[in-house]
Amino acid sequence: AAAAPTKAPRISELQRRVADVLEGLEADVTEAHALPMLRAMLPAACETPKESRHRFQTGIIAMVTTMLRSTEARLEQEIENAASEIEALDATRAAQEAAVAQAAAQVEDRTKIVQERKTSLASVARAFRGAKQAIADTQAEQTWKTNLLEAYADKRDKLVSAEATFFRPLLDGVDDEVAAKSLVDELIAAVQGVGFFDASLMAALGTAACKAPSTRRPFETMVLTQFQEDLAKRIAEHSAAVQDGDRMTAAAAEAVADAERRFVAAREDQLRAADAFKAAAADERDAEAAVAEARKTLRGIETSLRRLAVDHATLEFRLARFRAGPLAALIGLDQAAAAEAAGTVATEVAAAGGDPARTRIGVSSALSSG
Protein backbone atom coordinates (compact mmCIF):
# COMPACT_ATOMS: atom_id res chain seq x y z
CA ALA A 1 0.00 0.00 0.00
CA ALA A 2 1.19 3.49 -0.79
CA ALA A 3 2.56 5.44 2.15
CA ALA A 4 0.38 8.28 3.38
CA PRO A 5 1.82 11.73 2.57
CA THR A 6 3.68 13.33 5.43
CA LYS A 7 1.87 16.36 6.82
CA ALA A 8 3.84 19.55 7.38
CA PRO A 9 4.26 20.28 11.07
CA ARG A 10 1.80 22.82 12.38
CA ILE A 11 3.30 26.26 13.07
CA SER A 12 2.14 28.02 16.18
CA GLU A 13 1.23 31.72 16.29
CA LEU A 14 4.42 32.38 18.25
CA GLN A 15 6.56 30.60 15.64
CA ARG A 16 4.85 32.57 12.84
CA ARG A 17 5.55 35.83 14.57
CA VAL A 18 9.18 34.86 15.19
CA ALA A 19 9.50 34.01 11.49
CA ASP A 20 8.03 37.42 10.57
CA VAL A 21 10.47 39.17 12.88
CA LEU A 22 13.42 37.29 11.38
CA GLU A 23 12.22 38.27 7.89
CA GLY A 24 12.18 41.88 8.96
CA LEU A 25 15.72 41.59 10.31
CA GLU A 26 16.91 40.41 6.91
CA ALA A 27 16.09 43.90 5.53
CA ASP A 28 18.50 45.60 7.96
CA VAL A 29 21.79 45.03 6.18
CA THR A 30 23.60 47.34 8.62
CA GLU A 31 23.48 44.56 11.23
CA ALA A 32 24.03 41.62 8.88
CA HIS A 33 26.88 40.31 11.03
CA ALA A 34 24.45 39.75 13.90
CA LEU A 35 21.85 37.79 11.92
CA PRO A 36 23.27 34.26 12.58
CA MET A 37 23.30 34.89 16.34
CA LEU A 38 19.80 36.38 16.28
CA ARG A 39 18.41 33.46 14.27
CA ALA A 40 19.81 31.09 16.90
CA MET A 41 18.79 32.97 20.04
CA LEU A 42 15.60 34.82 19.09
CA PRO A 43 13.21 31.82 19.03
CA ALA A 44 14.13 30.73 22.57
CA ALA A 45 13.95 34.28 23.86
CA CYS A 46 10.54 34.78 22.27
CA GLU A 47 9.14 31.49 23.56
CA THR A 48 10.01 32.48 27.14
CA PRO A 49 7.37 34.67 28.81
CA LYS A 50 8.53 38.20 29.42
CA GLU A 51 8.69 37.86 33.22
CA SER A 52 10.72 34.63 32.96
CA ARG A 53 13.42 35.86 30.52
CA HIS A 54 16.97 36.18 31.75
CA ARG A 55 18.96 39.29 30.91
CA PHE A 56 20.54 37.85 27.75
CA GLN A 57 17.12 37.01 26.34
CA THR A 58 15.86 40.48 27.31
CA GLY A 59 18.92 41.95 25.57
CA ILE A 60 18.19 39.94 22.43
CA ILE A 61 14.60 41.21 22.35
CA ALA A 62 15.83 44.78 22.91
CA MET A 63 18.40 44.45 20.11
CA VAL A 64 15.77 43.13 17.72
CA THR A 65 13.40 45.92 18.70
CA THR A 66 16.11 48.52 18.04
CA MET A 67 16.95 46.98 14.68
CA LEU A 68 13.33 46.86 13.54
CA ARG A 69 12.69 50.42 14.70
CA SER A 70 15.84 51.46 12.88
CA THR A 71 14.57 49.83 9.72
CA GLU A 72 11.23 51.59 10.19
CA ALA A 73 12.96 54.93 10.68
CA ARG A 74 15.14 54.35 7.61
CA LEU A 75 12.09 53.61 5.47
CA GLU A 76 10.33 56.67 6.85
CA GLN A 77 13.40 58.80 6.01
CA GLU A 78 13.59 57.36 2.51
CA ILE A 79 9.89 58.17 2.01
CA GLU A 80 10.47 61.70 3.27
CA ASN A 81 13.51 62.10 0.99
CA ALA A 82 11.54 60.82 -1.99
CA ALA A 83 8.69 63.23 -1.20
CA SER A 84 11.18 66.11 -0.97
CA GLU A 85 12.70 65.14 -4.29
CA ILE A 86 9.25 64.98 -5.86
CA GLU A 87 8.36 68.40 -4.44
CA ALA A 88 11.62 69.95 -5.66
CA LEU A 89 11.37 68.31 -9.06
CA ASP A 90 7.73 69.35 -9.36
CA ALA A 91 8.83 72.96 -8.82
CA THR A 92 11.52 72.44 -11.44
CA ARG A 93 8.88 71.08 -13.80
CA ALA A 94 6.72 74.18 -13.27
CA ALA A 95 9.70 76.41 -14.02
CA GLN A 96 10.56 74.34 -17.08
CA GLU A 97 6.97 74.49 -18.33
CA ALA A 98 7.21 78.29 -18.08
CA ALA A 99 10.51 78.14 -19.97
CA VAL A 100 8.88 76.02 -22.69
CA ALA A 101 5.99 78.48 -22.96
CA GLN A 102 8.42 81.39 -23.17
CA ALA A 103 10.51 79.61 -25.81
CA ALA A 104 7.37 78.77 -27.81
CA ALA A 105 6.27 82.43 -27.64
CA GLN A 106 9.70 83.44 -28.86
CA VAL A 107 9.36 81.05 -31.80
CA GLU A 108 6.00 82.63 -32.62
CA ASP A 109 7.55 86.11 -32.49
CA ARG A 110 10.48 85.00 -34.66
CA THR A 111 8.07 83.43 -37.16
CA LYS A 112 6.15 86.69 -37.42
CA ILE A 113 9.39 88.58 -38.02
CA VAL A 114 10.40 86.06 -40.69
CA GLN A 115 7.06 86.55 -42.46
CA GLU A 116 7.45 90.33 -42.26
CA ARG A 117 11.00 90.14 -43.62
CA LYS A 118 9.86 87.74 -46.33
CA THR A 119 7.08 90.13 -47.39
CA SER A 120 9.53 93.04 -47.33
CA LEU A 121 12.02 91.06 -49.41
CA ALA A 122 9.36 90.25 -51.98
CA SER A 123 8.39 93.93 -52.19
CA VAL A 124 12.03 94.99 -52.55
CA ALA A 125 12.56 92.27 -55.17
CA ARG A 126 9.66 93.66 -57.19
CA ALA A 127 11.16 97.15 -56.90
CA PHE A 128 14.51 95.73 -58.02
CA ARG A 129 12.96 94.08 -61.06
CA GLY A 130 11.13 97.34 -61.83
CA ALA A 131 14.39 99.31 -61.58
CA LYS A 132 16.13 96.79 -63.83
CA GLN A 133 13.32 97.04 -66.37
CA ALA A 134 13.46 100.86 -66.12
CA ILE A 135 17.11 100.74 -67.16
CA ALA A 136 16.25 98.61 -70.16
CA ASP A 137 13.38 100.92 -71.10
CA THR A 138 15.36 104.15 -70.74
CA GLN A 139 18.32 102.65 -72.59
CA ALA A 140 16.00 101.56 -75.40
CA GLU A 141 14.51 105.05 -75.55
CA GLN A 142 17.99 106.57 -75.52
CA THR A 143 19.04 104.31 -78.38
CA TRP A 144 15.92 105.21 -80.35
CA LYS A 145 16.46 108.95 -79.82
CA THR A 146 20.16 108.64 -80.67
CA ASN A 147 19.34 106.78 -83.87
CA LEU A 148 16.70 109.39 -84.73
CA LEU A 149 19.20 112.19 -84.10
CA GLU A 150 21.77 110.47 -86.26
CA ALA A 151 19.18 110.03 -89.00
CA TYR A 152 18.26 113.73 -88.95
CA ALA A 153 21.93 114.71 -88.90
CA ASP A 154 22.69 112.34 -91.77
CA LYS A 155 19.84 113.78 -93.86
CA ARG A 156 20.91 117.34 -93.06
CA ASP A 157 24.50 116.57 -94.00
CA LYS A 158 23.40 114.93 -97.25
CA LEU A 159 21.25 117.93 -98.20
CA VAL A 160 24.05 120.38 -97.34
CA SER A 161 26.49 118.31 -99.36
CA ALA A 162 24.06 118.06 -102.31
CA GLU A 163 23.59 121.80 -102.25
CA ALA A 164 27.30 122.53 -102.22
CA THR A 165 28.43 119.77 -104.55
CA PHE A 166 25.65 119.63 -107.12
CA PHE A 167 23.10 122.45 -106.87
CA ARG A 168 25.45 125.42 -106.32
CA PRO A 169 27.54 124.66 -109.47
CA LEU A 170 24.35 124.17 -111.50
CA LEU A 171 22.91 127.45 -110.19
CA ASP A 172 26.09 129.26 -111.15
CA GLY A 173 25.99 127.59 -114.54
CA VAL A 174 27.91 124.73 -116.18
CA ASP A 175 29.08 125.25 -119.77
CA ASP A 176 29.31 121.54 -120.61
CA GLU A 177 25.76 120.28 -121.11
CA VAL A 178 26.80 116.68 -120.47
CA ALA A 179 28.50 117.62 -117.23
CA ALA A 180 25.47 119.68 -116.25
CA LYS A 181 23.12 116.80 -116.92
CA SER A 182 25.36 114.49 -114.83
CA LEU A 183 25.23 116.98 -111.93
CA VAL A 184 21.43 117.16 -112.19
CA ASP A 185 21.14 113.37 -112.03
CA GLU A 186 23.43 113.23 -109.02
CA LEU A 187 21.49 116.04 -107.33
CA ILE A 188 18.16 114.32 -107.81
CA ALA A 189 19.61 111.04 -106.57
CA ALA A 190 21.11 112.78 -103.54
CA VAL A 191 17.93 114.53 -102.42
CA GLN A 192 15.52 111.67 -103.10
CA GLY A 193 14.49 110.02 -99.82
CA VAL A 194 16.16 112.78 -97.81
CA GLY A 195 13.48 115.44 -98.02
CA PHE A 196 10.13 115.85 -99.68
CA PHE A 197 10.31 117.81 -102.94
CA ASP A 198 7.43 118.45 -105.35
CA ALA A 199 7.49 115.97 -108.23
CA SER A 200 6.69 118.61 -110.90
CA LEU A 201 9.43 120.79 -109.50
CA MET A 202 11.93 117.96 -109.69
CA ALA A 203 10.85 117.25 -113.30
CA ALA A 204 11.38 120.85 -114.34
CA LEU A 205 14.70 121.05 -112.49
CA GLY A 206 16.55 118.99 -115.07
CA THR A 207 15.83 121.41 -117.91
CA ALA A 208 16.34 124.62 -115.95
CA ALA A 209 19.57 123.58 -114.23
CA CYS A 210 21.29 122.47 -117.45
CA LYS A 211 21.02 125.95 -119.06
CA ALA A 212 23.48 128.74 -118.61
CA PRO A 213 22.17 131.56 -116.39
CA SER A 214 22.02 133.97 -119.32
CA THR A 215 19.84 131.65 -121.38
CA ARG A 216 17.32 130.77 -118.67
CA ARG A 217 13.79 131.92 -119.06
CA PRO A 218 11.84 133.35 -116.10
CA PHE A 219 10.03 130.09 -115.46
CA GLU A 220 13.31 128.21 -115.34
CA THR A 221 14.76 130.82 -113.03
CA MET A 222 11.65 130.45 -110.83
CA VAL A 223 12.13 126.66 -110.79
CA LEU A 224 15.71 126.99 -109.59
CA THR A 225 14.74 129.62 -107.02
CA GLN A 226 11.89 127.46 -105.71
CA PHE A 227 14.13 124.41 -105.43
CA GLN A 228 16.79 126.49 -103.67
CA GLU A 229 14.20 127.74 -101.16
CA ASP A 230 12.79 124.23 -100.61
CA LEU A 231 16.29 122.83 -100.17
CA ALA A 232 17.15 125.54 -97.64
CA LYS A 233 13.88 124.87 -95.83
CA ARG A 234 14.61 121.15 -95.61
CA ILE A 235 18.12 121.80 -94.33
CA ALA A 236 16.72 124.19 -91.69
CA GLU A 237 14.09 121.63 -90.63
CA HIS A 238 16.68 118.90 -90.25
CA SER A 239 19.03 121.26 -88.40
CA ALA A 240 16.24 122.14 -85.98
CA ALA A 241 15.46 118.44 -85.57
CA VAL A 242 19.13 117.80 -84.81
CA GLN A 243 19.11 120.54 -82.17
CA ASP A 244 15.94 119.05 -80.60
CA GLY A 245 17.55 115.60 -80.85
CA ASP A 246 20.56 116.83 -78.92
CA ARG A 247 18.27 117.96 -76.12
CA MET A 248 16.30 114.70 -76.29
CA THR A 249 19.40 112.50 -76.20
CA ALA A 250 20.80 114.52 -73.29
CA ALA A 251 17.51 114.04 -71.42
CA ALA A 252 17.52 110.36 -72.36
CA ALA A 253 21.08 109.98 -71.06
CA GLU A 254 20.06 111.63 -67.79
CA ALA A 255 17.04 109.30 -67.58
CA VAL A 256 19.35 106.33 -68.08
CA ALA A 257 21.73 107.61 -65.39
CA ASP A 258 18.82 108.17 -63.01
CA ALA A 259 17.48 104.67 -63.73
CA GLU A 260 20.94 103.24 -63.08
CA ARG A 261 21.14 105.11 -59.76
CA ARG A 262 17.72 103.78 -58.83
CA PHE A 263 18.81 100.30 -59.86
CA VAL A 264 21.92 100.47 -57.67
CA ALA A 265 19.81 101.68 -54.72
CA ALA A 266 17.23 98.93 -55.34
CA ARG A 267 19.99 96.32 -55.48
CA GLU A 268 21.42 97.54 -52.18
CA ASP A 269 17.92 97.49 -50.67
CA GLN A 270 17.45 93.93 -51.91
CA LEU A 271 20.78 92.83 -50.45
CA ARG A 272 19.90 94.42 -47.09
CA ALA A 273 16.43 92.84 -47.17
CA ALA A 274 17.93 89.44 -48.05
CA ASP A 275 20.44 89.72 -45.19
CA ALA A 276 17.65 90.73 -42.80
CA PHE A 277 15.53 87.77 -43.94
CA LYS A 278 18.44 85.35 -43.51
CA ALA A 279 19.17 86.71 -40.03
CA ALA A 280 15.49 86.41 -39.06
CA ALA A 281 15.35 82.86 -40.42
CA ALA A 282 18.49 81.96 -38.45
CA ASP A 283 16.93 83.45 -35.29
CA GLU A 284 13.79 81.41 -35.95
CA ARG A 285 15.83 78.20 -36.30
CA ASP A 286 17.69 79.00 -33.06
CA ALA A 287 14.37 79.65 -31.28
CA GLU A 288 12.93 76.37 -32.61
CA ALA A 289 16.04 74.51 -31.43
CA ALA A 290 15.72 76.18 -28.02
CA VAL A 291 12.06 75.20 -27.62
CA ALA A 292 12.87 71.64 -28.74
CA GLU A 293 15.64 71.44 -26.14
CA ALA A 294 13.33 72.92 -23.48
CA ARG A 295 10.65 70.35 -24.29
CA LYS A 296 13.23 67.57 -24.18
CA THR A 297 14.33 68.75 -20.73
CA LEU A 298 10.68 68.89 -19.62
CA ARG A 299 10.10 65.32 -20.83
CA GLY A 300 13.16 64.22 -18.84
CA ILE A 301 11.81 65.93 -15.72
CA GLU A 302 8.39 64.31 -16.18
CA THR A 303 10.04 60.91 -16.63
CA SER A 304 12.03 61.44 -13.43
CA LEU A 305 8.86 62.51 -11.62
CA ARG A 306 7.05 59.35 -12.69
CA ARG A 307 10.00 57.25 -11.55
CA LEU A 308 10.14 59.05 -8.21
CA ALA A 309 6.39 58.62 -7.75
CA VAL A 310 6.79 54.88 -8.32
CA ASP A 311 9.73 54.77 -5.89
CA HIS A 312 7.74 56.74 -3.31
CA ALA A 313 4.73 54.45 -3.64
CA THR A 314 7.00 51.40 -3.42
CA LEU A 315 8.61 52.73 -0.24
CA GLU A 316 5.20 53.44 1.31
CA PHE A 317 4.09 49.93 0.43
CA ARG A 318 7.26 48.46 1.92
CA LEU A 319 6.79 50.50 5.12
CA ALA A 320 3.14 49.47 5.44
CA ARG A 321 4.08 45.84 4.81
CA PHE A 322 6.94 46.11 7.31
CA ARG A 323 4.68 47.58 9.98
CA ALA A 324 1.96 44.99 9.38
CA GLY A 325 4.50 42.17 9.26
CA PRO A 326 7.75 42.14 11.26
CA LEU A 327 6.94 45.15 13.45
CA ALA A 328 3.44 43.96 14.31
CA ALA A 329 4.86 40.50 14.95
CA LEU A 330 7.42 41.93 17.38
CA ILE A 331 4.76 43.92 19.22
CA GLY A 332 2.62 40.77 19.62
CA LEU A 333 5.45 38.47 20.69
CA ASP A 334 4.85 38.91 24.45
CA GLN A 335 1.12 38.18 24.10
CA ALA A 336 1.82 35.14 21.93
CA ALA A 337 4.49 33.84 24.36
CA ALA A 338 2.14 34.24 27.35
CA ALA A 339 -0.72 32.55 25.53
CA GLU A 340 1.48 29.65 24.48
CA ALA A 341 2.81 29.24 28.04
CA ALA A 342 -0.75 29.21 29.43
CA GLY A 343 -1.71 26.55 26.92
CA THR A 344 1.23 24.40 27.92
CA VAL A 345 0.27 24.58 31.63
CA ALA A 346 -3.31 23.65 30.90
CA THR A 347 -2.17 20.64 28.93
CA GLU A 348 0.16 19.44 31.70
CA VAL A 349 -2.54 19.87 34.41
CA ALA A 350 -4.93 17.79 32.39
CA ALA A 351 -2.26 15.13 31.95
CA ALA A 352 -1.59 15.13 35.77
CA GLY A 353 -5.19 14.31 36.52
CA GLY A 354 -6.07 17.86 37.39
CA ASP A 355 -3.39 18.26 40.08
CA PRO A 356 -1.26 21.32 39.40
CA ALA A 357 1.34 20.12 41.86
CA ARG A 358 2.16 17.19 39.64
CA THR A 359 2.91 19.33 36.61
CA ARG A 360 6.40 20.45 35.50
CA ILE A 361 5.67 23.92 36.78
CA GLY A 362 4.28 22.62 40.12
CA VAL A 363 7.30 20.43 40.70
CA SER A 364 9.57 23.34 39.89
CA SER A 365 7.70 25.50 42.38
CA ALA A 366 7.90 22.86 45.11
CA LEU A 367 11.58 22.41 44.56
CA SER A 368 12.07 26.12 44.65
CA SER A 369 10.14 26.42 47.99
CA GLY A 370 11.94 23.41 49.53
Side-chain angles (χ1 to χ4, degrees):
T6 304
K7 292 184 179 180
R10 185 177 180 180
I11 299 176
S12 68
E13 177 65 19
L14 180 62
Q15 291 173 327
R16 184 187 65 78
R17 289 181 180 274
V18 169
D20 287 344
V21 171
L22 288 173
E23 181 184 352
L25 293 175
E26 298 285 346
D28 194 349
V29 296
T30 59
E31 301 292 342
H33 62 281
L35 287 177
M37 178 191 70
L38 293 174
R39 289 194 193 98
M41 299 181 66
L42 182 61
C46 292
E47 290 172 0
T48 303
K50 184 176 182 179
E51 62 277 4
S52 301
R53 293 171 188 159
H54 53 69
R55 62 187 182 88
F56 294 109
Q57 291 175 328
T58 301
I60 289 295
I61 297 297
M63 181 185 294
V64 169
T65 301
T66 300
M67 291 175 65
L68 291 183
R69 290 299 182 184
S70 174
T71 300
E72 180 187 31
R74 177 173 54 81
L75 288 173
E76 288 174 343
Q77 186 61 51
E78 289 179 2
I79 290 172
E80 183 179 349
N81 293 343
S84 298
E85 287 187 49
I86 289 173
E87 183 179 359
L89 200 56
D90 197 49
T92 302
R93 177 178 63 179
Q96 190 62 29
E97 286 174 345
V100 168
Q102 182 178 2
Q106 193 170 28
V107 168
E108 186 176 349
D109 292 342
R110 293 291 183 270
T111 300
K112 289 180 181 178
I113 293 174
V114 167
Q115 291 303 318
E116 291 172 358
R117 299 285 171 82
K118 186 176 181 181
T119 301
S120 176
L121 178 60
S123 176
V124 171
R126 287 193 296 271
F128 174 78
R129 289 193 296 270
K132 187 176 182 180
Q133 184 60 45
I135 287 181
D137 293 342
T138 54
Q139 286 176 340
E141 184 176 0
Q142 182 187 34
T143 300
W144 175 78
K145 289 180 178 180
T146 300
N147 292 337
L148 183 63
L149 173 63
E150 291 175 352
Y152 278 124
D154 182 63
K155 289 180 179 181
R156 180 201 60 186
D157 293 343
K158 286 181 179 180
L159 290 174
V160 170
S161 177
E163 179 186 27
T165 304
F166 307 122
F167 181 69
R168 180 61 59 185
L170 288 172
L171 185 63
D172 293 340
V174 178
D175 295 335
D176 186 352
E177 186 177 353
V178 175
K181 185 172 179 51
S182 177
L183 286 174
V184 170
D185 291 341
E186 288 182 282
L187 175 61
I188 293 173
V191 299
Q192 281 181 344
V194 177
F196 176 77
F197 293 92
D198 184 75
S200 60
L201 181 65
M202 296 301 292
L205 181 64
T207 302
C210 288
K211 290 185 177 182
S214 59
T215 61
R216 292 171 186 162
R217 291 178 293 181
F219 174 76
E220 292 170 339
T221 300
M222 182 195 69
V223 168
L224 291 174
T225 301
Q226 183 64 46
F227 180 79
Q228 186 179 21
E229 291 175 355
D230 288 351
L231 182 59
K233 182 180 179 181
R234 299 293 182 272
I235 290 173
E237 289 174 350
H238 284 80
S239 295
V242 168
Q243 290 179 351
D244 290 341
D246 287 337
R247 290 191 294 270
M248 287 191 301
T249 53
E254 179 57 32
V256 169
D258 183 65
E260 288 175 344
R261 286 191 294 270
R262 291 177 182 274
F263 173 77
V264 171
R267 182 174 58 190
E268 291 175 352
D269 289 343
Q270 186 180 36
L271 291 175
R272 283 193 295 269
D275 290 341
F277 173 75
K278 290 177 182 177
D283 289 343
E284 183 186 33
R285 288 192 297 271
D286 292 343
E288 289 173 344
V291 76
E293 185 64 27
R295 285 171 176 161
K296 180 180 178 182
T297 301
L298 179 60
R299 288 194 297 272
I301 292 172
E302 289 173 342
T303 299
S304 298
L305 273 173
R306 288 192 293 271
R307 187 184 68 250
L308 283 174
V310 171
D311 293 345
H312 184 267
T314 301
L315 287 169
E316 287 186 329
F317 174 78
R318 286 177 57 194
L319 178 60
R321 188 171 178 272
F322 180 80
R323 285 171 172 168
L327 203 57
L330 176 66
I331 294 170
L333 276 176
D334 289 341
Q335 293 90 334
E340 188 164 315
T344 301
V345 170
T347 301
E348 290 183 358
V349 168
D355 183 4
R358 297 174 59 189
T359 64
R360 176 175 53 86
I361 295 175
V363 172
S364 297
S365 300
L367 290 174
S368 297
S369 61

